[in-house]
Amino acid sequence: MRTKIVAGNWKMNKTPSEAAALVEGIKALVKDVTTVEIVVCPPFTDLKDAAAACAGSNVALGAQNVAWAESGAFTGEISAAMLKDLGVTYVIIGHSERRQYFGETDATVNSRLKAALAAGLTPIVCVGEKLEEREAGQMETVIVKQVKDGFADLSAEEIEKTVIAYEPVWAIGTGKTATPVQAQEVHALIRRTLAEIANGEVAGKVRIQYGGSMKPANAKELMDQPDIDGGLIGGAALKADSFADIIKAAL
Ligand code: PEP
Protein backbone atom coordinates (compact mmCIF):
# COMPACT_ATOMS: atom_id res chain seq x y z
CA MET A 1 0.00 0.00 0.00
CA ARG A 2 1.27 3.45 -0.94
CA THR A 3 0.91 6.17 1.71
CA LYS A 4 -1.16 9.00 0.27
CA ILE A 5 0.54 12.37 0.01
CA VAL A 6 -1.29 15.70 -0.13
CA ALA A 7 0.80 18.78 -0.89
CA GLY A 8 -0.16 22.43 -1.10
CA ASN A 9 1.43 24.52 -3.85
CA TRP A 10 1.01 28.06 -2.59
CA LYS A 11 2.50 29.55 -5.78
CA MET A 12 3.33 33.28 -5.33
CA ASN A 13 0.99 33.82 -2.40
CA LYS A 14 1.45 34.70 1.29
CA THR A 15 4.01 36.84 3.10
CA PRO A 16 6.22 35.18 5.74
CA SER A 17 3.89 36.11 8.61
CA GLU A 18 0.83 34.97 6.63
CA ALA A 19 2.61 31.72 5.83
CA ALA A 20 3.32 31.01 9.51
CA ALA A 21 -0.32 31.72 10.35
CA LEU A 22 -1.57 29.40 7.60
CA VAL A 23 0.70 26.58 8.77
CA GLU A 24 -0.58 27.06 12.33
CA GLY A 25 -4.16 26.87 11.05
CA ILE A 26 -3.46 23.68 9.06
CA LYS A 27 -1.62 22.06 11.97
CA ALA A 28 -4.54 22.58 14.31
CA LEU A 29 -6.96 20.92 11.89
CA VAL A 30 -4.82 17.90 10.94
CA LYS A 31 -2.98 17.19 14.18
CA ASP A 32 -4.57 13.74 14.48
CA VAL A 33 -3.77 12.66 10.91
CA THR A 34 -1.06 10.00 10.95
CA THR A 35 -1.69 8.03 7.76
CA VAL A 36 -1.38 10.76 5.12
CA GLU A 37 1.82 12.62 4.30
CA ILE A 38 1.12 16.36 4.44
CA VAL A 39 3.34 18.92 2.72
CA VAL A 40 3.13 22.69 2.30
CA CYS A 41 5.15 24.43 -0.44
CA PRO A 42 5.28 28.18 0.23
CA PRO A 43 7.39 30.70 -1.72
CA PHE A 44 11.14 30.73 -0.94
CA THR A 45 10.87 33.89 1.16
CA ASP A 46 8.39 32.17 3.52
CA LEU A 47 10.39 29.01 4.10
CA LYS A 48 12.18 30.06 7.28
CA ASP A 49 9.01 31.12 9.06
CA ALA A 50 7.07 28.17 7.68
CA ALA A 51 9.83 25.80 8.86
CA ALA A 52 9.56 27.18 12.39
CA ALA A 53 5.80 26.68 12.29
CA CYS A 54 6.09 23.13 10.88
CA ALA A 55 8.76 22.02 13.37
CA GLY A 56 7.77 18.95 15.36
CA SER A 57 4.45 18.58 13.54
CA ASN A 58 3.03 16.22 10.92
CA VAL A 59 3.25 18.99 8.29
CA ALA A 60 6.40 18.78 6.15
CA LEU A 61 7.94 21.60 4.18
CA GLY A 62 8.49 21.77 0.43
CA ALA A 63 9.85 24.37 -1.99
CA GLN A 64 8.51 25.25 -5.44
CA ASN A 65 11.77 24.90 -7.39
CA VAL A 66 15.44 24.03 -6.99
CA ALA A 67 18.57 24.93 -8.94
CA TRP A 68 20.40 22.25 -10.91
CA ALA A 69 23.79 23.61 -9.82
CA GLU A 70 25.24 23.33 -6.33
CA SER A 71 26.35 26.98 -6.15
CA GLY A 72 27.81 29.78 -8.23
CA ALA A 73 26.80 32.36 -10.81
CA PHE A 74 23.08 31.53 -11.17
CA THR A 75 21.35 34.78 -10.25
CA GLY A 76 17.91 34.23 -8.81
CA GLU A 77 18.30 30.52 -8.21
CA ILE A 78 18.19 28.62 -4.89
CA SER A 79 20.24 25.47 -4.34
CA ALA A 80 19.19 22.17 -2.84
CA ALA A 81 21.68 22.65 0.03
CA MET A 82 20.13 26.04 0.86
CA LEU A 83 16.70 24.43 0.99
CA LYS A 84 17.86 21.52 3.12
CA ASP A 85 19.50 23.86 5.59
CA LEU A 86 16.13 25.55 6.11
CA GLY A 87 14.40 22.25 6.87
CA VAL A 88 12.87 21.69 3.45
CA THR A 89 12.35 18.02 2.55
CA TYR A 90 10.26 18.15 -0.66
CA VAL A 91 10.53 20.19 -3.82
CA ILE A 92 8.11 20.71 -6.72
CA ILE A 93 9.88 20.44 -10.08
CA GLY A 94 8.55 21.25 -13.54
CA HIS A 95 5.22 22.77 -12.59
CA SER A 96 3.33 23.76 -15.74
CA GLU A 97 3.58 27.44 -14.76
CA ARG A 98 7.38 27.07 -14.70
CA ARG A 99 7.20 25.42 -18.12
CA GLN A 100 4.79 28.05 -19.49
CA TYR A 101 6.26 31.29 -18.11
CA PHE A 102 9.89 30.50 -17.27
CA GLY A 103 11.04 28.30 -20.13
CA GLU A 104 11.34 25.05 -18.18
CA THR A 105 11.73 22.00 -20.40
CA ASP A 106 12.02 18.28 -19.77
CA ALA A 107 15.81 18.82 -19.87
CA THR A 108 15.78 21.46 -17.10
CA VAL A 109 13.35 19.29 -15.14
CA ASN A 110 15.80 16.40 -15.46
CA SER A 111 18.74 18.52 -14.23
CA ARG A 112 16.79 19.91 -11.30
CA LEU A 113 15.52 16.45 -10.44
CA LYS A 114 19.06 15.08 -10.29
CA ALA A 115 20.16 17.95 -8.02
CA ALA A 116 17.21 17.37 -5.68
CA LEU A 117 17.88 13.64 -5.46
CA ALA A 118 21.61 14.13 -4.93
CA ALA A 119 20.82 16.36 -1.94
CA GLY A 120 18.26 13.95 -0.48
CA LEU A 121 15.20 16.11 -1.19
CA THR A 122 12.04 14.31 -2.31
CA PRO A 123 11.07 15.70 -5.71
CA ILE A 124 7.45 16.16 -6.76
CA VAL A 125 7.77 16.09 -10.53
CA CYS A 126 4.87 17.63 -12.44
CA VAL A 127 3.66 16.37 -15.80
CA GLY A 128 0.51 17.17 -17.74
CA GLU A 129 -0.89 17.82 -21.18
CA LYS A 130 -2.38 21.07 -22.51
CA LEU A 131 -5.99 21.24 -23.69
CA GLU A 132 -5.01 21.42 -27.37
CA GLU A 133 -2.79 18.38 -26.95
CA ARG A 134 -5.62 16.38 -25.38
CA GLU A 135 -8.05 17.51 -28.08
CA ALA A 136 -5.55 16.53 -30.79
CA GLY A 137 -5.31 13.02 -29.33
CA GLN A 138 -1.72 13.61 -28.17
CA MET A 139 -2.17 13.18 -24.41
CA GLU A 140 -0.45 9.81 -24.27
CA THR A 141 2.56 10.88 -26.38
CA VAL A 142 3.02 14.07 -24.34
CA ILE A 143 2.83 12.36 -20.95
CA VAL A 144 5.13 9.47 -21.90
CA LYS A 145 7.70 11.93 -23.30
CA GLN A 146 7.58 14.13 -20.19
CA VAL A 147 8.12 11.10 -17.95
CA LYS A 148 10.84 9.50 -20.07
CA ASP A 149 12.77 12.72 -20.72
CA GLY A 150 12.22 14.16 -17.26
CA PHE A 151 13.51 10.94 -15.64
CA ALA A 152 16.29 10.30 -18.17
CA ASP A 153 19.47 8.66 -16.79
CA LEU A 154 17.96 8.01 -13.36
CA SER A 155 18.46 4.63 -11.71
CA ALA A 156 15.47 2.58 -10.54
CA GLU A 157 16.52 3.38 -6.93
CA GLU A 158 16.41 7.10 -7.69
CA ILE A 159 13.05 6.85 -9.47
CA GLU A 160 11.63 5.06 -6.43
CA LYS A 161 12.40 8.13 -4.28
CA THR A 162 10.29 10.47 -6.40
CA VAL A 163 6.67 11.59 -6.30
CA ILE A 164 4.92 12.47 -9.56
CA ALA A 165 2.05 14.92 -9.91
CA TYR A 166 -0.24 14.51 -12.92
CA GLU A 167 -1.60 17.98 -13.53
CA PRO A 168 -3.56 18.41 -16.76
CA VAL A 169 -2.75 22.02 -17.68
CA TRP A 170 -6.38 22.63 -18.66
CA ALA A 171 -7.47 21.82 -15.10
CA ILE A 172 -5.04 24.06 -13.20
CA GLY A 173 -6.72 27.07 -11.65
CA THR A 174 -9.61 26.79 -14.11
CA GLY A 175 -12.17 25.07 -11.92
CA LYS A 176 -12.28 22.26 -14.51
CA THR A 177 -11.26 18.96 -12.96
CA ALA A 178 -10.37 15.80 -14.82
CA THR A 179 -13.03 13.20 -14.09
CA PRO A 180 -11.84 10.36 -11.87
CA VAL A 181 -11.91 8.08 -14.93
CA GLN A 182 -9.85 10.53 -17.05
CA ALA A 183 -7.32 11.00 -14.26
CA GLN A 184 -7.04 7.27 -13.47
CA GLU A 185 -6.35 6.56 -17.16
CA VAL A 186 -3.35 8.91 -17.14
CA HIS A 187 -2.10 7.75 -13.73
CA ALA A 188 -2.12 4.15 -14.98
CA LEU A 189 -0.24 5.28 -18.11
CA ILE A 190 2.40 7.01 -15.95
CA ARG A 191 2.77 3.86 -13.83
CA ARG A 192 3.19 1.69 -16.96
CA THR A 193 5.84 4.14 -18.20
CA LEU A 194 7.67 3.90 -14.87
CA ALA A 195 7.62 0.10 -15.16
CA GLU A 196 9.25 0.49 -18.56
CA ILE A 197 12.01 2.90 -17.47
CA ALA A 198 12.61 1.35 -14.02
CA ASN A 199 10.76 -1.87 -13.20
CA GLY A 200 7.35 -3.08 -12.04
CA GLU A 201 8.26 -3.07 -8.37
CA VAL A 202 9.42 0.55 -8.44
CA ALA A 203 6.40 1.56 -10.53
CA GLY A 204 4.19 0.05 -7.85
CA LYS A 205 5.85 2.11 -5.13
CA VAL A 206 5.98 5.61 -6.66
CA ARG A 207 3.20 7.88 -5.46
CA ILE A 208 1.32 9.69 -8.24
CA GLN A 209 -0.70 12.72 -7.13
CA TYR A 210 -3.50 14.34 -9.10
CA GLY A 211 -3.50 18.13 -9.37
CA GLY A 212 -5.89 20.52 -11.08
CA SER A 213 -8.79 22.21 -9.30
CA MET A 214 -8.89 19.54 -6.60
CA LYS A 215 -11.16 20.69 -3.78
CA PRO A 216 -12.99 19.12 -0.83
CA ALA A 217 -16.01 18.31 -3.02
CA ASN A 218 -14.11 16.22 -5.59
CA ALA A 219 -11.03 15.04 -3.67
CA LYS A 220 -12.39 11.75 -2.36
CA GLU A 221 -13.66 10.37 -5.67
CA LEU A 222 -10.34 11.25 -7.31
CA MET A 223 -8.18 9.78 -4.53
CA ASP A 224 -10.35 6.64 -4.40
CA GLN A 225 -9.01 5.68 -7.84
CA PRO A 226 -6.49 2.84 -7.65
CA ASP A 227 -3.54 4.77 -9.09
CA ILE A 228 -4.23 8.18 -7.51
CA ASP A 229 -2.12 8.49 -4.39
CA GLY A 230 -2.95 11.99 -3.20
CA GLY A 231 -3.15 15.50 -4.52
CA LEU A 232 -1.11 18.57 -5.40
CA ILE A 233 -3.39 21.42 -4.46
CA GLY A 234 -3.18 25.04 -5.60
CA GLY A 235 -6.07 27.38 -4.78
CA ALA A 236 -7.69 25.16 -2.15
CA ALA A 237 -4.38 24.93 -0.25
CA LEU A 238 -4.45 28.63 0.60
CA LYS A 239 -7.14 28.19 3.25
CA ALA A 240 -6.54 25.91 6.23
CA ASP A 241 -10.05 24.46 6.27
CA SER A 242 -10.27 23.48 2.59
CA PHE A 243 -6.73 22.04 2.62
CA ALA A 244 -7.51 20.07 5.79
CA ASP A 245 -10.76 18.76 4.29
CA ILE A 246 -8.83 17.47 1.26
CA ILE A 247 -6.30 15.78 3.57
CA LYS A 248 -9.15 14.13 5.45
CA ALA A 249 -10.64 12.93 2.14
CA ALA A 250 -7.39 10.96 1.67
CA LEU A 251 -7.84 9.02 4.93
C1 PEP B 1 -1.35 23.60 -9.04
O1 PEP B 1 -0.99 24.70 -9.40
O2 PEP B 1 -0.49 22.73 -8.75
C2 PEP B 1 -2.79 23.34 -8.94
C3 PEP B 1 -3.20 22.12 -8.94
O3 PEP B 1 -3.61 24.44 -8.88
P1 PEP B 1 -5.21 24.46 -8.62
O4 PEP B 1 -5.48 23.44 -7.54
O5 PEP B 1 -5.51 25.84 -8.20
O6 PEP B 1 -5.84 24.06 -9.91
Side-chain angles (χ1 to χ4, degrees), residues 1-250:
M1 270 303 286
R2 295 178 292 267
T3 303
K4 287 206 167 48
I5 171 165
V6 177
N9 172 16
W10 294 5
K11 312 193 187 195
M12 195 174 71
N13 292 294
K14 306 290 177 189
T15 62
S17 54
E18 289 168 347
L22 179 52
V23 172
E24 293 298 342
I26 294 166
K27 271 180 10 186
L29 295 172
V30 301
K31 60 181 187 321
D32 297 328
V33 174
T34 54
T35 53
V36 178
E37 250 170 77
I38 304 166
V39 186
V40 292
C41 302
F44 289 131
T45 45
D46 294 352
L47 289 173
K48 194 165 186 185
D49 295 76
C54 287
S57 79
N58 56 346
V59 180
L61 190 61
Q64 298 175 18
N65 198 6
V66 63
W68 54 74
E70 283 181 17
S71 63
F74 297 96
T75 302
E77 289 286 301
I78 303 289
S79 75
M82 293 168 183
L83 297 176
K84 283 208 72 168
D85 198 56
L86 281 170
V88 169
T89 49
Y90 294 82
V91 62
I92 299 170
I93 296 175
H95 190 277
S96 64
E97 288 150 16
R98 299 290 320 164
R99 295 177 190 255
Q100 183 180 354
Y101 303 124
F102 303 101
E104 297 271 353
T105 62
D106 294 331
T108 61
V109 167
N110 183 249
S111 306
R112 295 185 194 279
L113 176 52
K114 287 174 181 162
L117 286 167
L121 293 170
T122 299
I124 299 177
V125 181
C126 302
V127 299
E129 82 287 0
K130 300 186 189 120
L131 183 60
E132 59 268 29
E133 291 167 337
R134 176 167 278 265
E135 287 176 347
Q138 295 165 349
M139 177 277 286
E140 186 161 342
T141 317
V142 169
I143 298 295
V144 169
K145 183 174 172 7
Q146 287 178 346
V147 174
K148 287 192 173 170
D149 292 357
F151 285 76
D153 311 319
L154 260 56
S155 66
E157 294 71 39
E158 287 173 318
I159 293 174
E160 189 177 325
K161 293 181 184 141
T162 67
V163 174
I164 297 180
Y166 167 56
E167 299 207 311
V169 179
W170 47 271
I172 297 181
T174 59
K176 276 189 207 160
T177 319
T179 65
V181 172
Q182 279 175 322
Q184 167 58 28
E185 182 196 6
V186 186
H187 282 236
L189 168 67
I190 293 169
R191 213 175 288 290
R192 285 199 301 279
T193 309
L194 292 175
E196 212 185 294
I197 61 173
N199 57 58
E201 198 191 329
V202 165
K205 287 185 181 165
V206 171
R207 274 90 55 84
I208 308 176
Q209 301 171 307
Y210 170 80
S213 299
M214 193 187 264
K215 40 190 181 276
N218 60 24
K220 184 167 168 34
E221 55 172 1
L222 284 158
M223 292 190 284
D224 274 351
Q225 297 297 309
D227 286 297
I228 301 186
D229 308 311
L232 181 57
I233 322 299
L238 293 173
K239 291 215 164 75
D241 54 355
S242 51
F243 189 55
D245 284 348
I246 294 173
I247 291 161
K248 288 175 186 165

